[in-house]
Amino acid sequence: MSRLIAGRWVLFRCLVTLLLVSLAAAAPEVSDRTERRAFYTAPPTVPHELDGLENGDCLTCHEDVLDLGDQVSAPTPHPEYFNCLQCHVGTAPLPIAETTPDVASDWKGLAEPTLIERANPKAPPSIPHRLFLRDRCLSCHHPDHPNPAQRTSHPERSNCQQCHVADQEREF
Amino acid sequence: MTVSRRRFILQSAEAAGVAALGLNLPLLGAPVSQNAEGLSWQKAPCRFCGTGCGALVGIQEGRVVAVQGDRECPVNRGLLCAKGYHLGAALYGKDRLKTPLIRKGGSLQEASWEEAINLIAEKVIADPDRFSIYGSGQWTIPEGYIAMKFLKGGLGNNHLDPNARLCMASAVTGFLTTFGVDEPSGCYDDLDLCEVVITWGNNWAEMHPVLFSRLIDRRARGEEILYIDLGTRRTRSTEAADHYLEFRPHTDLAIANCIAHQLVENGTCDRNFLDQNVRFKSNDDKDISLEEYRSFLQGYSVEKVSKLSGVPADQLRLLGDLFGDPKKKIVSLWCMGMNQHTRGTWINNLVYNAHLLAGKIGKPGSTPFSLTGQPSACGTCREVGTLAHALPGGRVNASDGDRAEVEEVWGCKPGAINPKPGHHTMAMFEALSKGELTGMWVQVTNPAQSIPNLHANLANAADRFVVVSDIYPTETTRIASVVLPSATWVEKNGIFGNSERRTQQWFRMVEPPGQARPDVWQVLAVAHRMYEMGCEDLKGRDGKFLLTVRDDSGNEVEAWKWEVFREFNVDRALFNEYRALTVKKHKDLAPYDEYVKVSGMRWPVVKQSDGSWKETKRRFVGGEDPYVKEGRQVDFYGARAGDSRAIIWARPYEDPPESPDSEYPFWLCTGRVLEHWHTATMTGRIKELRKAMPNTYVEIHAEDAERLGVKTGDRVRVRSRRGSIETVAWIGGRGKPQVGLVFIPFFDEKRLINRVTLDEYDPISKEPDYKKCAVALEKLS
Ligand code: SF4
């Protein structure tokens, strides 16, 4: 959307966005991936309020890593998709959330893979998920990622799929 | 992807082969792939909205563990919305109904299937003419079909209507009056080709999110699209719009006529198109000339309509100019804003008028397109025809010929089907309250939360014999005499039909919990018990059980027995029987096995000389629709007069039945939010969705809020002539209503907004207006 509006307006919205997000101080540290995903590869839920922000605003913070000191934004692996709120739901806007939902469920989502396949013990690990919506590898594998298991040790090498193969049959 | 695709088709063909032998499909019928973790994937359409996204369902150890978008499905190309991704969790709420319940001494108590089926059979036999079925646009095609055959072919009454009456009845009557046949000409592909999109009171960013992004992602790719949003409240969709045209509620009627006025007065109609494809009619159904139509339009000049609607004149001219530009490709979209309208049929007609006058229909990228809310409102309610006046394949009860054809296919005794239409939804609940109906079977819907003016319309319902088939306790199970635990989505076989005429099939992938069983089986079991008890109604013309299911060799299958039902694909048998009824009005469907191989096909689906089956992208369009006459670009062959002409109706603006006044000074509009589906029976049990949207609220314009001294988070009472609820105010939140209008979503069973809404309905479609009534607001301390 920012494409459509003047630069000053963009700057203003950035400031408003930052303000809103920092007001939504509830945003916790990224510690537990699974807490924010109903199953492995589910679209993560957003740990702050979304209403009041506009659709295009998401990329202000999530196009690339944005380090605010106490908070680090998660960059999107698919900036070409514009309608973020289609898949990512937020946290209930606090003033209107009257009830603390008690959701009693037996749902057990697909677990994170524990075993990463390699052709041989020294081979580069293969990619355990489909690449659709996730082909911008550094978004989730940048060297500062909060989850050490996801960090790449060699961010300077940009052609990831030269060595890491994706199982084309994967549906997730 | 080619590898898995090939594998998918191979395995599907195997599965189809198994089915063709009349054997059951293996539980995991057609896995797309299976990996080391024992995870397999199979296709199924999403259970929620009428977009009809193709999903891949991940199954591990007999449970759904993940849901992904199917990249092979042309509807969604790999994407889903938040509801779709979280659909798996809808099956696993702790309070799933797992055993039949019968009300004894005031409370619902566990019972056996045997006891429940006996009780229902006895009650129906005792009073078959006053028993009714209230179904749903979430019925699968076989579910709606068997319920209809049971009631209309068996009991011989027509008190069968779906909740789709509350959602797309006006779209149906709009199509029927303009084109003579139901359902759209265009398809989703037109969203990829259009230059202008106009939404008429439609927040598709939240209601049909995958279609919304199909459009706006084109912008991200650098394409120029003009998006015009007509509404009474700013929504997430409005954020993407280039122009927002805010109109006073109900004046959409005048705005559509104003477009027509400009086209006629400016000489920008497509005269060639009109000469060949259109007739004009007065509101009282008399043929009129273009000149007479022109004089009707005199009341809808830009100046007059601007004054009435509150839309600035230059914005109205923008619409007129866009329609008048012969080069512009325009798609109009709408859903509940136009359908839940006391003049829903008229406003549907009027938007068709604008497209017909401008020749913007039947061309790639140019079409009016009516969206549906439910996953099979089209497939089941409209195509099977599970409506009080209808029979399968576009037939009606009132026609002798139609009834005879259906009796033939169903094997009923001649004359078994009653010519007199049954009660439509609103009349049905009134009759139930008054005792004119003594029983009702509610399937896949929750009327005790969704019927307007609840208090009046549900009065005494708890005193009648109400059977409710559902998967969780709801407001409706609270008034039930018998509750039957149902299987849902991939716990059973199913077939849905979406907004763009696409029919999609899926197989059972997991077992339903406890004793839950599919609704198709429930109807078969009750019907057969009645047959065993000697009920003549359930005997066909050969004296045998009317709902007999047969395998491919014509042998009877005892499908009313659960152990047999589970092992036999009853959906396939019913669908292949139903197919024979779809051809008359050119809604041809392919055999069941064809749908196993693909992510749906759009009807008419016609067999080619090489034996393959071909879908139709655009109906009525030469070169695409096989039923269009040779040499014609467009052929509205459904026209009742047999002249292939669509009708342009001179429909006037009319005041709404209730408007704000000094006592009730605000408009109330109701609707949905992205996170929740209808009454949140399923989505309210999904942690991610419920946490994102835990309860309803009332949106108030900032100026109104200031006048009332209300701030976000304050508690407010919303009161109409019918009832009131208390909820919490949200100002400048997700939606921003116009001054003088408030909005409340209806998903919250703790705050039943339908105690407040109006039960006036469109006299043609009988669809109530949930979008407009007058309320007062009161700040609570
Ligand atoms: S847009 Fe509709 S069909 Fe598609 S995933 Fe969402 S709810 Fe399901």
Side-chain angles (χ1 to χ4, degrees), chain B residues 243-300:
Chain B
H243 301 276
Y244 171 54
L245 277 55
E246 190 166 86
F247 61 92
R248 293 193 187 105
H250 216 68
T251 60
D252 44 357
L253 295 161
I255 294 169
N257 270 332
C258 178
I259 297 173
H261 174 90
Q262 294 179 70
L263 292 171
V264 172
E265 290 305 317
N266 300 346
T268 47
C269 296
D270 184 339
R271 288 304 294 256
N272 265 341
F273 186 90
L274 293 184
D275 288 346
Q276 287 181 27
N277 301 308
V278 163
R279 282 203 293 159
F280 296 90
K281 280 200 175 218
S282 66
N283 197 24
D284 55 358
D285 206 5
K286 302 218 168 55
D287 281 315
I288 53 173
S289 64
L290 175 57
E291 266 317 300
E292 287 168 299
Y293 177 62
R294 186 179 169 194
S295 62
F296 157 79
L297 290 173
Q298 289 315 306
Y300 301 96

Side-chain angles (χ1 to χ4, degrees), chain B residues 46-53 80-85 207-210:
Chain B
C46 173
R47 166 72 182 73
F48 293 119
C49 86
T51 302
C53 296
L80 295 174
C81 80
K83 284 190 293 297
Y85 284 113
M207 305 322 148
H208 299 85
V210 167

Side-chain angles (χ1 to χ4, degrees), chain B residues 3-54:
Chain B
V3 179
S4 75
R5 191 66 191 160
R6 199 166 61 232
R7 221 167 113 175
F8 170 56
I9 289 172
L10 273 175
Q11 297 191 359
S12 306
E14 271 168 36
V18 176
L21 295 172
L23 300 171
N24 179 43
L25 294 150
L27 183 58
L28 298 170
V32 173
S33 62
Q34 183 148 14
N35 71 359
E37 296 118 47
L39 179 68
S40 65
W41 297 89
Q42 236 187 100
K43 70 157 178 128
C46 173
R47 166 72 182 73
F48 293 119
C49 86
T51 302
C53 296

Side-chain angles (χ1 to χ4, degrees), chain B residues 564-677:
Chain B
V564 176
F565 184 94
R566 312 192 51 259
E567 299 300 323
F568 184 83
N569 190 343
V570 174
D571 263 39
R572 182 173 174 276
L574 295 177
F575 186 82
N576 285 341
E577 177 185 304
Y578 158 60
R579 263 190 74 217
L581 291 163
T582 60
V583 182
K584 183 176 185 177
K585 295 274 170 101
H586 314 299
K587 303 180 184 212
D588 315 32
L589 299 173
Y592 182 89
D593 297 345
E594 296 301 315
Y595 295 94
V596 174
K597 303 175 197 169
V598 291
S599 287
M601 280 187 280
R602 288 166 284 194
W603 57 260
V605 186
V606 173
K607 196 170 190 173
Q608 306 298 296
S609 50
D610 65 357
S612 65
W613 295 82
K614 188 163 172 273
E615 67 161 1
T616 301
K617 269 195 202 174
R618 292 180 191 82
R619 236 177 145 196
F620 310 135
V621 176
E624 301 207 30
D625 181 340
Y627 291 111
V628 167
K629 274 188 240 39
E630 232 3 88
R632 282 192 74 136
Q633 259 181 337
V634 168
D635 178 1
F636 297 118
Y637 53 70
R640 292 212 174 134
D643 59 357
S644 288
R645 287 174 184 273
I647 297 171
I648 289 185
W649 290 93
R651 305 289 201 200
Y653 168 80
E654 187 187 85
D655 284 331
E658 183 177 274
S659 297
D661 53 23
S662 55
E663 202 181 341
Y664 297 96
F666 290 93
W667 287 108
L668 166 69
C669 178
T670 69
R672 295 206 292 122
V673 289
L674 183 140
E675 291 88 347
H676 290 296
W677 168 251

Side-chain angles (χ1 to χ4, degrees), chain A:
Chain A
M1 196 134 350
S2 50
R3 191 181 56 76
L4 299 169
I5 35 185
R8 268 156 86 189
W9 175 241
V10 174
L11 191 64
F12 172 72
R13 292 252 18 133
C14 291
L15 291 171
V16 170
T17 305
L18 288 178
L19 183 71
L20 280 166
V21 172
S22 48
L23 283 179
E29 285 281 311
V30 180
S31 52
D32 191 358
R33 280 172 57 80
T34 53
E35 189 46 33
R36 301 243 183 80
R37 288 167 175 80
F39 52 90
Y40 175 55
T41 73
T45 57
V46 180
H48 57 75
E49 288 181 28
L50 297 175
D51 291 295
L53 301 176
E54 288 182 11
N55 238 333
D57 290 343
C58 305
L59 289 180
T60 311
C61 298
H62 295 285
E63 177 133 36
D64 279 306
V65 183
L66 186 72
D67 195 338
L68 294 180
D70 55 339
Q71 287 172 36
V72 182
S73 74
T76 174
H78 41 252
E80 69 279 21
Y81 286 95
F82 228 48
N83 184 18
C84 314
L85 308 186
Q86 168 184 323
C87 306
H88 301 280
V89 292
T91 301
L94 289 173
I96 70 130
E98 284 192 302
T99 43
T100 317
D102 168 28
V103 184
S105 176
D106 290 327
W107 166 253
K108 283 192 223 46
L110 178 64
E112 300 246 345
T114 46
L115 195 71
I116 303 296
E117 288 169 25
R118 295 172 195 259
N120 64 61
K122 296 225 168 120
S126 61
I127 300 170
H129 54 74
R130 72 178 180 179
L131 293 174
F132 177 65
L133 294 172
R134 294 179 186 85
D135 57 358
R136 196 192 188 206
C137 306
L138 278 183
S139 304
C140 306
H141 298 286
H142 60 86
D144 302 322
H145 195 279
N147 177 7
Q150 279 175 246
R151 293 175 193 156
T152 173
S153 60
H154 43 276
E156 68 283 4
R157 302 203 185 276
S158 56
N159 185 14
C160 312
Q161 289 187 64
Q162 174 188 326
C163 306
H164 302 278
V165 294
D167 176 354
Q168 289 302 326
E169 300 226 348
R170 280 206 177 264
E171 294 299 347
F172 59 96

